[in-house]
Amino acid sequence: MEEMLNTKSSVIFYSGAKGGCDFYRSRQPFSILRKYHPEWIADKLNRVHLSSDTQRYNIVHTYRNHQPMMITAFEKFNSLGKITIFDLDDDVFHMPSWNQAYMEYRPGIVKVRLTPEMQAHFKRPYVEYNVLDNIHKLINISTIATASTPYLANELAKHRNNNDVYVVPNFIDTEWLPMISPRLPRNVIKIGWSGGYNHDEDLKVAIPAVEQILWQYPNTTFTFIGADYRNLMRNPPKDRVFHVLGKPNVHEYYQLQADEQLDIGIIPVTDDLINFSKSPIKWMEYAIADIPTIASPIGPYPDNIQHQHTGWLVKKNKHIEWVKAIEFYIQHPEDARAYAANAKKDILNRYTMDHVANIFIPILEKHIYETMSITPYNYC
């Protein structure tokens, strides 16, 4: 960043999720400010202390936090002429019923389990409220609404009176790129999938093709990294299907994927609306681990993957096309490795902290001036 604000501001990041979601949508923006504005006060907390927080901070950011207390906090910060930021990376208004998260993001009144800290405060394990109504209100009353993709930004704009939503993409911090060990000669071709739970229906798109390949090519294996979905396979050669536990730390997860040295990484997704809002983060994670990608032609993947250049898009998401795609990678390993190398180069040219900082920081600077009515060089 060539132009920096050279006076202090103060930003609080309220966490509304855990794991990879929290890492990409809360910790990563927090890291941007720590790196590019070390003179700013920037804190990341799991609780809200309204009276002290409104005095200490003039910018508040939350990702997916929909508790009633967050509405109260946003309204208080807004009334004091400060900046509120609400962020999403999923179209929670179109959560499919097969997704476990539907229990939280379904229409109507929902029982929401509280964190241990909040349980101690409310003296009960959960509270009941309309989650989607709260998210709608937070999107609308926030000074700034942000989303991880253009598609999702358009969806969130429907919930704002002024329609303005900024795209702040997910990114890879190049300081945490995994170490890639030399690949030893081997006769086995390792196919795999990496991710968390809530992907049952997505995996069902490709699992039959994977099973067919495993029986057709005795030198192939399949590994689930993270969530264990071996139960989705009907009749696999069990001695060639594996599960590897994930890592709670995203940086360690990067290294785990690289250490597995997959020859083929698959990303099957259904055509449910929620998948159109997703970011291409799984493709990005595969690429930095030198894993060639085969993906469904849905959502972010046709927007980011160049077919037979930075990956393979499965035509019409059909079974026979999944089989053809995997067979092509098996029969043309040099092409597959070239696609992975091209993808890595593309990502490092578009989706790093430097690139996203040049999006996120100017958004903050603009609203510091407009909302707080002070010039970028004269605020506290």
Side-chain angles (χ1 to χ4, degrees), residues 120-177:
H121 176 77
F122 286 102
K123 309 299 183 186
R124 57 181 185 269
Y126 61 83
V127 292
E128 295 181 274
Y129 56 89
N130 191 311
V131 168
L132 295 183
D133 278 0
N134 280 16
I135 292 175
H136 163 77
K137 187 168 186 178
L138 284 161
I139 294 169
N140 192 37
I141 68 174
S142 60
T143 313
I144 304 169
T146 57
S148 52
T149 66
Y151 180 96
L152 184 56
N154 289 333
E155 290 299 307
L156 298 194
K158 299 173 183 177
H159 298 269
R160 285 178 67 80
N161 291 336
N162 65 8
N163 296 325
D164 290 338
V165 180
Y166 296 95
V167 178
V168 179
N170 288 325
F171 65 86
I172 299 295
D173 186 346
T174 54
E175 292 185 7
W176 294 102
L177 290 177

Side-chain angles (χ1 to χ4, degrees), residues 42-269:
D43 295 317
K44 186 177 182 298
L45 303 174
N46 294 317
R47 90 304 175 267
V48 179
H49 291 165
L50 198 55
S51 59
S52 60
D53 292 349
T54 52
Q55 294 179 30
R56 179 172 174 80
Y57 305 103
N58 51 32
I59 303 172
V60 54
H61 176 290
T62 193
Y63 159 72
R64 206 190 281 195
N65 192 325
H66 47 63
Q67 293 184 4
M69 174 62 78
M70 193 54 57
I71 294 177
T72 302
F74 268 43
E75 290 175 337
K76 182 64 174 179
F77 274 89
N78 287 343
S79 71
L80 296 172
K82 299 187 177 186
I83 294 171
T84 51
I85 306 171
F86 188 78
D87 177 76
L88 276 180
D89 71 340
D90 275 326
D91 184 2
V92 296
F93 296 99
H94 294 101
M95 188 70 68
S97 58
W98 54 261
N99 192 304
Q100 293 177 14
Y102 179 78
M103 296 304 296
E104 180 177 356
Y105 296 105
R106 67 186 188 274
I109 302 299
V110 175
K111 286 185 177 181
V112 178
R113 180 162 293 278
L114 299 171
T115 63
E117 295 83 3
M118 295 299 287
Q119 288 183 31
H121 176 77
F122 286 102
K123 309 299 183 186
R124 57 181 185 269
Y126 61 83
V127 292
E128 295 181 274
Y129 56 89
N130 191 311
V131 168
L132 295 183
D133 278 0
N134 280 16
I135 292 175
H136 163 77
K137 187 168 186 178
L138 284 161
I139 294 169
N140 192 37
I141 68 174
S142 60
T143 313
I144 304 169
T146 57
S148 52
T149 66
Y151 180 96
L152 184 56
N154 289 333
E155 290 299 307
L156 298 194
K158 299 173 183 177
H159 298 269
R160 285 178 67 80
N161 291 336
N162 65 8
N163 296 325
D164 290 338
V165 180
Y166 296 95
V167 178
V168 179
N170 288 325
F171 65 86
I172 299 295
D173 186 346
T174 54
E175 292 185 7
W176 294 102
L177 290 177
M179 297 292 293
I180 307 296
S181 300
R183 295 203 176 199
L184 299 175
R186 66 188 185 203
N187 294 323
V188 174
I189 297 169
K190 299 180 67 173
I191 310 167
W193 173 89
S194 177
Y197 288 97
N198 293 332
H199 291 285
D200 308 54
E201 297 302 314
D202 292 328
L203 280 164
K204 287 177 184 178
V205 170
I207 286 298
V210 168
E211 288 195 63
Q212 180 176 331
I213 290 291
L214 289 173
W215 285 114
Q216 189 172 338
Y217 293 87
N219 63 329
T220 57
T221 66
F222 192 87
T223 303
F224 293 98
I225 303 174
D228 186 356
Y229 280 110
R230 285 175 291 180
N231 63 302
L232 294 181
M233 291 187 163
R234 293 185 178 182
N235 184 33
K238 294 183 179 179
D239 60 333
R240 290 188 280 122
V241 177
F242 307 102
H243 170 246
V244 175
L245 285 172
K247 298 285 186 179
N249 183 297
V250 173
H251 304 141
E252 293 177 350
Y253 202 87
Y254 290 168
Q255 190 60 54
L256 172 65
Q257 290 186 114
D259 291 344
E260 282 300 307
Q261 295 194 340
L262 298 180
D263 298 292
I264 303 169
I266 64 169
I267 312 177
V269 297

